């Protein structure tokens, strides 16, 4: 059974770019099982790519090969890299998109993708998803070892992921809205563990609104009302039961979120 | 050959939710063949989910497993259910999204999904698509019997699907626009059989427009002109040849459609 | 190994149309490997469909079956056709969408799809993607010969693809923006070969802007600056480093592009 090849890009679905990547993969490895993780990363938004990968990759089967092409520096000197962890392989430009992997995985090996024997030639200056990352993914899926594609690297670029400021003494957390999903849920960078020691009956301030206490399901409030809840990826989310919190609170990505459990 | 797993959700494609569901399925059943029916159901619109399923499922191969996650009540007491018909399996929250199945299929068995041995734990309160429906679909695809997942239920929730008022005496039908498709076609809830006994030269009133008679293809009218036609799912549609009826008539979902064949 | 079936349509992903096509294919050929090339062709825009196919098909494995349904004339007398080249099979309405194939391939055979034994009956007047093209693709993927589906045709409809006017004497090229991609790159109809004999330090005029010279990668200019570059499909593109040229220059499809290398 060949490995799954999981695609994560900022290419959108309006052009033939994603389709062409699949064509390249299948021409090399006809048995490839290709899965779309997302192609809706905001163009050039490496951080959004990293966060999307972070909360998803562990759900995929062992030996999945992730192709992560959010690549504002395509054609520059930034290196195409391959990171091998115990369970997975990751292909990406060396721009920080793999930060969650090196932060979360204990052991990994990094390789530079350099051996042009396995690339589509001439390699374009604008579409390494097609010319570098897709063919390498296909050959990996055929069983070639990572070392075949280039030399080991000692380190790769790390992004600073936005983390909240947790002040346990003053019982205050200051975080931010990190992502707004399709439903208008406001996903913050505050994790469940950050809330340890805080009362569930905290006050959450966002823009001009105060939300009191943590719910365990949407239906604990009336339809159309705002609530806070630990979402499926372990982050604190601000939601509206059967509605859009982004619309109701008129909030954008990056909005400040403040939690305090002084009261009571 | 494992069964196809067909996904129908309101998750959109901007997040990693659909990708994660696929990861969960493939981690359990590496041979799963996953097909996207649609992820563009309007958030929380159970009726739209039901109608999308209604006109699609019979085209899929026998033994397909449909995973229908339009789930405004996620985390509440609404049950996750499994409906087995002669040819298919359907997984969904018990909120009426499977109404067309129990209306159209003669025999079926309903099960509550309860056996937590087959779920992703801890089951989140906000993403049963990932934690309940995907793994159960994967195990079904491996051949596990529906009865493994929980006890039989006698009945499930039924939605009232909007049906037109047909008055054969006065030769009048009052229906509505049920769906507007990507092309701007206005798909009504009036079925071909409702028109039996009516002259093909009926008058159709919608908003401020009158359409005279039924066409059999778009090209019977000039490019840019309005027509009515029986669409591919058997419903009366109002279309514009090579254009958008929704734009031209400035009509939204729910708009009243009246047919009369008094004239002639 | 059955062939890949590659889908290219203007159906969008908001309805169940693409999902239903996949259901039809899988009901006939359970082992089909279906790949989405694009479903985002502008409704009824046959030329856009042709150009999307042109720059993509050669990346797919041999024996891939392309199903190209951009079909404003569905239900009219336009024929459904099958074009067999040395390496690929193409199914489409006879409206010019296959122009790049007959222009680029030396030898090919054209068949009319006529044998209704292989169609979904009754064939609707509005959805030949479901009733004609999908089942024929599935049967071809099972190994049926093209001649099984209908008689040979001598010729098919050709579209005039927009080509630039190249005046080597006056060192001038007048072309146009042919496509705007997801990133806001302006893809012109000027090919790399058209620029032979022109200095790389040409002047490019578009709307009210002048771009001087050809870059080889985005990063040769500052972030947010405009550049011109040969894109991944071999066409001259106007881009903004990490930004959208379409927005920055406020340009739409069809905008005139003029190149002159008089200066220097």
């Amino acid at each position: 059974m060949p490995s799954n090849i999981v695609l994560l890009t900022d290419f959108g679905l309006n052009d033939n770019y994603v389709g062409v990547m699949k064509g390249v993969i299948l021409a090399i490895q006809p048995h490839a099982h290709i899965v779309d993780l997302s192609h809706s990363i905001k163009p050039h938004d490496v951080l959004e790519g990293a966060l999307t990968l972070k909360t998803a990759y562990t759900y995929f089967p062992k030996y999945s090969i992730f192709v992560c092409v959010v690549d504002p520096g395509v054609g520059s000197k930034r290196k195409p890299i391959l990171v091998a962890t115990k369970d997975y392989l990751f292909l990406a430009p060396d721009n920080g998109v793999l930060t969650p992997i090196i932060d979360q995985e204990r052991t990994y090996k990094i390789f530079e993708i350099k051996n042009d024997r396995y690339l589509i030639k001439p390699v374009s200056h604008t579409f390494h998803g097609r010319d570098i990352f897709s063919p390498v993914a296909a050959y990996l899926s055929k069983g070639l070892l990572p070392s075949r594609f280039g030399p080991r690297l000692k380190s790769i670029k790390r992004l600073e992921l936005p983390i909240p400021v947790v002040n346990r003494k003053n019982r205050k957390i200051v975080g931010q809205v990190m992502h707004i999903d399709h439903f208008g849920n406001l996903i913050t960078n505050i994790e469940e563990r950050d809330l340890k020691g805080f009362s569930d009956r905290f006050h959450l301030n966002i823009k001009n609104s105060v939300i009191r206490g943590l719910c365990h399901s949407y239906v604990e409030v009336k339809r159309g009302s705002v609530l806070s809840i630990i979402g499926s990826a372990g982050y604190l989310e601000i939601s509206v039961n059967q509605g859009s919190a982004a619309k109701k609170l008129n909030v954008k990505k990056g909005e400040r979120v403040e939690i305090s459990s002084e009261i009571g």
Side-chain angles (χ1 to χ4, degrees), chain A:
Chain A
M1 255 280 312
S3 320
N4 294 291
I5 295 175
V6 186
L7 305 182
L8 172 65
T9 77
D10 60 352
F11 293 168
L13 293 173
N14 286 333
D15 304 292
N16 61 22
Y17 301 146
V18 172
V20 163
M21 285 178 68
K22 294 179 181 175
V24 167
I25 291 168
L26 292 166
I28 294 166
Q29 163 57 299
H31 298 280
H33 194 144
I34 304 171
V35 184
D36 298 300
L37 176 50
S38 173
H39 300 291
S40 305
I41 303 304
K42 203 180 144 223
H44 315 300
D45 193 335
V46 176
L47 177 60
E48 190 177 306
L51 295 171
T52 299
L53 182 61
K54 180 180 185 178
T55 56
Y57 77 95
T58 56
Y59 290 98
F60 281 83
K62 273 192 184 190
Y63 313 126
S64 291
I65 299 163
F66 292 83
V67 180
C68 310
V69 193
V70 183
D71 196 5
V74 62
S76 72
K77 304 238 162 192
R78 70 97 191 86
K79 291 167 180 156
I81 55 171
L82 194 173
V83 173
T85 70
K86 191 166 74 66
D87 291 338
Y88 301 115
L89 294 166
F90 298 88
L91 302 173
D94 183 14
N95 60 17
V97 70
L98 298 185
T99 301
I101 308 309
I102 57 171
D103 280 4
Q104 292 181 189
E105 297 291 325
R106 296 207 184 167
T107 58
Y108 51 85
K109 290 181 185 168
I110 310 166
F111 301 84
E112 183 182 352
I113 301 172
K114 222 177 171 176
N115 187 344
D116 71 1
R117 180 174 160 189
Y118 299 108
L119 311 183
I120 302 284
K121 276 155 288 188
V123 172
S124 70
H125 296 284
T126 58
F127 194 3
H128 289 183
R130 179 191 69 191
D131 301 333
I132 297 179
F133 298 110
S134 291
V136 170
Y139 284 113
L140 285 167
S141 158
K142 288 182 96 161
L144 268 70
L145 294 177
S147 56
R148 287 284 283 275
F149 299 93
R152 290 282 293 275
L153 291 178
K154 289 244 169 83
S155 67
I156 59 171
K157 193 167 175 210
R158 238 195 120 271
L159 278 185
E160 283 311 313
L161 304 185
I163 54 165
V165 178
V166 182
N167 187 329
R168 297 201 180 275
K169 210 170 180 182
N170 296 333
R171 297 198 172 182
K172 223 180 206 177
I173 302 177
V174 177
Q176 58 173 280
V177 173
M178 202 168 58
H179 178 64
I180 298 179
D181 79 3
H182 176 68
F183 295 95
N185 296 313
L186 310 174
I187 299 159
T188 74
N189 61 345
I190 301 167
E191 294 190 66
E192 194 167 13
R193 62 173 181 226
D194 296 324
L195 293 167
K196 264 182 195 152
F198 283 74
S199 159
D200 267 11
R201 292 166 60 205
F202 58 66
H203 282 210
L204 184 157
N205 285 272
I206 179 165
K207 230 173 166 177
N208 307 314
S209 301
V210 182
I211 302 168
R212 291 190 169 76
L214 191 68
C215 288
H216 296 282
S217 80
Y218 299 134
V219 293
E220 287 177 32
V221 302
K222 277 185 302 183
R223 187 174 170 162
S225 292
V226 183
L227 72 149
S228 77
I229 190 167
I230 300 297
S232 59
Y235 292 99
L236 182 71
E237 300 185 11
I238 297 148
S239 302
V240 162
N241 183 13
Q242 297 182 51
S244 164
K247 270 192 202 153
K248 177 152 184 145
L249 302 181
N250 190 24
V251 160
K252 293 211 162 52
K253 206 162 103 169
E255 184 75 40
R256 179 189 162 97
V257 174
E258 193 182 308
I259 283 178
S260 55
S261 69
E262 295 296 6
I263 325 294

